[in-house]
Amino acid sequence: MAKVWKFGNDVDTDQILPGRYAPYMTGEAALARHAFIEYRPEFARAVRAGDIILAGRNFGCGSSREYAPLALKRCGIAAIVARSFARIFFRNALNLGIPLFESETATQEIADGQEVELDVAQGILVAGERAFPLRPPPAFVCEILHQGGIVEYYRKHGRFPGESDS
Amino acid sequence: MGQTLSEKIISRAAGHEVQAGDLAVVQVTMTMTVDSIAESVIRVLRQELGAKRVHDPERVALFVDHVAPACNPATADGQVLLRRFALEEGINRLYDVGRGICHQLMIEEGLVQPGTVALGSDSHATTYGAIGAFGTGMGTTDIALAFARGKTWLKVPESIKVQVHGAFSPGTTAKDLILWLIGRLGAEGASYRAVEFHGVEGSSLASRMTICSMATEMGAKAGLVPPDDLIRQHYPVPEWLYPDADATYVQEIMIDLSKIQPQVSLPHQVDRVAPVSQVQGVRVHQVFLGSCTNGRLEDLHRAASLLSGRHIARGVRLLVIPASHRVLADAVADGTMSTLLAAGATVGTPGCGPCLGRHLGVLGAGEVCLSTSNRNFQGRMGSPEASIYLGSPATAAATALAGFIADPREYWQ
């Protein structure tokens, strides 16, 4: 079972990983310890591998800093489910191979700290008696996730999504 | 079928016609990264992608601006790595400490051209739309891939058309227009979309850069102004670079500039916008005049015109950080800097300054800052218990004089 860490709307990348705690400032090794360090200090201490973030609208807005989703990945976050994602955050997280799903109902009806089970392949989030089908991402997104990120995708295919083989 | 400015630029860069919603692989004419991100880009490029060299060192630019000069051994080490990388790769376009902010230099130094796609490892790369380039911000991995290939992939965005008419009333500027628009559309109001600004022909390049830089604060992938004669005087503008009259827009917004009042973003969200008249009187400890959004000569002129012959209030610090060395030199040459210093301002090294809370003006608990920058997220400039209000250079100057948030129209000359 995974635990849900629930967040509200417009959580920006300065909340996920403040610029003052960037690898540039403090070194790369401490990155996971600094996730949500001021916004939700208990997060980095208590998060377990496989836990899930559930958020409101526009999750990850603001800076293009990839170390924000990287910090969540280093913490072992298995997936992020939000009502919507900020564009650059979505792409950065996808590039790192973090599964992302959009859902209106799951994010409203599942409580913070609730134990859930997520089937990433099927796109189903189960919380107690309830099963929430998650909107499947577009095919190219699924393929990037399947490979584990854009670097792995590119190394395997030798091309970008949307690029012909020739 | 008619094309938006973004569709035209991306079609050219892709080598075939595209429309909103298509996935496109495009030629990138300039990719840049900065001191704070370079180390991770180099790691992905060399270790994860196994690339021997960058694809074309002439299409890469490097900047030391986010913490310039270095504030601790870690940042100094990161800058050493960046300089060594430039040397090893034969990258001539390295703009070191004091040269200025990446986005300012990309345009000032002619590193980005109208009608091309340019990428930055910083979200305010939307600034390049001010000269009619498709500029967008990406993360470490995408920048490393563009370094390796000279290309990137992206989904062609739908576009929002903003049609402005009329003229600003005294005391009101481009910053107030973009803050007002962000307040109206919200922080994700332009998510995944490009925003095309029409009818701003009368405005300066600096004002267009202010507007386009903050397009990202509405979630936009790009913010663009169709090039006009002003841009043609300084940059080569291809004849095809204009939006078609029958282009498709997902939303059209009409704005009468004369109706816009000076605007302020309230803590801790950029889209919490109110007319300055509603927050007048909030006690302020620091005023920051600078950033890629408002650190240009025009901005310093605007502030100096209010500060001339006056002195900032007791208990207020006015930090002025020009967006580039050239801006600083010009402001010294034309006497603007003397005016600012006489009014009680202090001046820092051209660069990002305290905008992202790493040095040169970090805020303590309980402190309030009126900043001309672009983000007021909680903890952005230091303590999470500090508060940041965003406003124009005129509002910043008025606030510095009053010691509390003040309406620039009361000081306007």
Side-chain angles (χ1 to χ4, degrees):
Chain A
M1 296 288 267
K3 184 180 161 183
V4 160
W5 294 85
K6 197 164 174 181
F7 293 87
N9 295 330
D10 297 314
V11 173
D12 59 73
T13 50
D14 275 278
Q15 309 316 318
I16 300 170
L17 209 296
R20 284 167 288 117
Y21 294 89
Y24 182 42
M25 300 290 284
T26 59
E28 175 103 20
L31 189 58
R33 284 210 310 275
H34 294 153
F36 292 113
I37 185 162
E38 288 167 350
Y39 192 64
R40 201 163 171 184
E42 77 278 15
F43 176 86
R45 288 195 298 270
V47 68
R48 293 166 305 183
D51 283 358
I52 287 164
I53 286 175
L54 213 55
R57 302 201 66 86
N58 204 26
F59 185 76
C61 62
S63 161
S64 62
R65 60 186 67 153
E66 191 172 291
Y67 53 81
L70 183 61
L72 302 181
K73 185 179 176 178
R74 296 263 171 91
C75 287
I77 286 296
I80 307 173
V81 181
R83 287 182 71 184
S84 64
F85 290 93
R87 182 184 61 79
I88 304 176
F89 182 91
F90 183 93
R91 180 151 169 153
N92 283 341
L94 170 66
N95 282 345
L96 294 171
I98 303 171
L100 304 161
F101 296 95
E102 289 189 355
S103 170
E104 291 282 336
T105 50
T107 53
Q108 284 170 10
E109 294 180 28
I110 298 175
D112 186 44
Q114 203 170 334
E115 297 283 331
V116 295
E117 269 184 281
L118 174 67
D119 184 332
V120 169
Q122 298 298 318
I124 294 173
L125 185 62
V126 177
E129 301 293 301
R130 303 230 15 217
F132 299 89
L134 304 172
R135 207 175 302 153
F140 76 93
V141 169
C142 293
E143 175 60 12
I144 294 171
L145 289 175
H146 179 68
Q147 295 301 331
I150 192 70
V151 168
E152 292 77 6
Y153 177 100
Y154 182 69
R155 287 170 69 112
K156 172 156 193 237
H157 295 287
R159 60 176 173 79
F160 288 145
E163 190 171 26
S164 56
D165 286 315
S166 57
Chain B
M1 202 171 91
Q3 288 188 307
T4 64
L5 208 51
S6 296
E7 288 169 328
K8 278 207 176 170
I9 296 169
I10 296 171
S11 293
R12 284 279 162 162
H16 59 89
E17 191 147 311
V18 299
Q19 59 184 23
D22 292 346
L23 269 186
V25 174
V26 295
Q27 190 83 7
V28 181
T29 49
M30 191 59 74
T31 305
M32 72 84 174
T33 191
V34 298
D35 52 328
S36 55
I37 302 293
E39 183 172 0
S40 57
V41 171
I42 296 165
R43 189 195 65 232
V44 173
L45 179 74
R46 291 183 168 168
Q47 293 173 24
E48 295 183 25
L49 288 168
K52 297 269 189 296
R53 306 296 299 263
V54 298
H55 176 261
D56 180 357
E58 293 302 314
R59 291 198 279 136
V60 170
L62 305 170
F63 301 89
V64 183
D65 63 351
H66 274 57
V67 183
C71 68
N72 63 12
T75 53
D77 288 346
Q79 295 178 14
V80 168
L81 200 74
L82 173 70
R83 294 181 190 110
R84 192 189 308 141
F85 177 72
L87 215 57
E88 288 167 356
E89 298 286 338
I91 296 165
N92 297 314
R93 294 183 178 87
L94 165 64
Y95 298 86
D96 214 322
V97 173
R99 290 299 304 277
I101 305 171
C102 54
H103 307 306
Q104 174 68 15
L105 293 169
M106 285 285 276
I107 289 185
E108 197 179 275
E109 295 286 322
L111 305 180
V112 54
Q113 301 293 331
T116 65
V117 175
L119 303 183
S121 69
D122 187 281
S123 56
H124 295 107
T126 53
T127 306
Y128 319 147
I131 60 163
F134 189 91
T136 198
M138 290 188 174
T140 294
T141 304
D142 281 318
I143 295 298
L145 280 161
F147 275 11
R149 285 203 64 195
K151 290 181 179 180
T152 194
W153 60 280
L154 46 80
K155 195 162 142 193
V156 183
E158 297 174 315
S159 293
I160 295 173
K161 181 177 182 178
V162 175
Q163 178 75 55
V164 307
H165 60 94
F168 285 117
S169 58
T172 312
T173 61
K175 181 64 165 287
D176 302 299
L177 165 64
I178 191 65
L179 289 181
W180 182 89
L181 185 64
I182 292 165
R184 162 143 178 216
L185 288 178
E188 64 169 347
S191 198
Y192 285 89
R193 291 170 173 169
V195 183
E196 255 180 44
F197 297 92
H198 292 237
V200 293
E201 284 79 7
S203 66
S204 65
L205 174 58
S207 291
R208 297 178 199 195
M209 290 169 74
T210 299
I211 292 168
C212 291
S213 78
M214 288 197 77
T216 190
E217 308 307 334
M218 309 180 274
K221 198 173 208 164
L224 302 103
V225 178
D228 57 6
D229 286 342
L230 175 75
I231 303 303
R232 279 186 207 99
Q233 283 166 20
H234 302 284
Y235 301 90
V237 177
E239 46 79 28
W240 52 263
L241 188 58
Y242 59 88
D244 290 325
D246 59 344
T248 302
Y249 296 94
V250 288
Q251 190 177 357
E252 296 194 31
I253 298 164
M254 302 280 282
I255 302 176
D256 179 354
L257 292 180
S258 69
K259 298 270 166 55
I260 299 212
Q261 301 175 47
Q263 305 285 313
V264 173
S265 286
L266 315 181
H268 301 287
Q269 285 165 291
V270 184
D271 62 351
R272 275 191 78 207
V273 177
V276 68
S277 52
Q278 284 182 18
V279 286
Q280 276 191 96
V282 174
R283 169 96 166 82
V284 165
H285 306 92
Q286 177 169 301
V287 173
F288 168 43
L289 173 59
S291 85
C292 56
T293 294
N294 275 128
R296 282 170 279 279
L297 193 61
E298 166 180 298
D299 304 313
L300 271 49
H301 281 168
R302 186 59 73 205
S305 75
L306 272 72
L307 292 163
S308 179
R310 297 180 167 126
H311 200 278
I312 60 171
R314 214 182 166 81
V316 176
R317 315 180 292 271
L318 171 57
L319 309 183
V320 178
I321 302 197
S324 70
H325 178 84
R326 187 184 294 178
V327 170
L328 172 58
D330 288 350
V332 168
D334 73 5
T336 303
M337 210 41 89
S338 298
T339 303
L340 295 173
L341 291 174
T346 187
V347 181
T349 308
C352 301
C355 173
L356 61 164
R358 288 173 176 166
H359 69 161
L360 295 176
V362 174
L363 300 174
E367 288 203 301
V368 177
C369 180
L370 186 294
S371 174
T372 64
S373 62
N374 40 55
R375 285 192 179 129
N376 60 348
F377 301 146
Q378 188 168 15
R380 169 82 177 176
M381 291 179 72
S383 169
E385 291 164 54
S387 300
I388 307 163
Y389 293 79
L390 304 177
S392 74
T395 300
T399 298
L401 288 170
F404 47 83
I405 294 179
D407 191 327
R409 291 171 295 190
E410 291 171 16
Y411 297 86
W412 196 258
Q413 295 171 350

